[in-house]
Amino acid sequence: MCYWRQWRKPRTKVRSLMKLGVSERLAIACGITSKGPCRSSKTKGINIALGTNYLASQGLVSLRDIWINIHYGR
């Protein structure tokens, strides 16, 4: 959601999604939507671009992994 808010303008959203590997048609459909960031986060294009692998490469930790470590003690 933070990345989506940073990009602000539809043109920037489309360009950024295409840089992250989303097809042009899907990037345009996701980028020009009037939905808010919470509702947009469930779309296919954004999930392709900002998946867990990309976020992990950016240095973000997974809450799921932290919970598993705490709960199961691994």
Side-chain angles (χ1 to χ4, degrees):
M1 188 161 87
C2 182
Y3 289 105
W4 200 244
R5 285 267 172 105
Q6 266 183 331
W7 295 337
R8 295 184 59 95
K9 305 252 184 220
R11 182 177 289 180
T12 308
K13 291 177 185 179
V14 171
R15 195 177 321 122
S16 299
L17 287 172
M18 287 175 57
K19 282 181 187 176
L20 292 172
V22 179
S23 68
E24 183 178 3
R25 175 176 265 167
L26 192 55
I28 291 170
C30 291
I32 65 171
T33 186
S34 60
K35 295 179 185 176
C38 288
R39 192 166 172 196
S40 293
S41 68
K42 298 176 180 119
T43 60
K44 184 178 179 182
I46 295 173
N47 283 317
I48 290 170
L50 300 175
T52 54
N53 294 334
Y54 174 75
L55 295 175
S57 72
Q58 295 294 307
L60 298 173
V61 294
S62 169
L63 291 178
R64 179 182 179 272
D65 293 342
I66 292 172
W67 184 85
I68 288 172
N69 288 337
I70 292 171
H71 186 70
Y72 294 111
R74 292 183 184 176

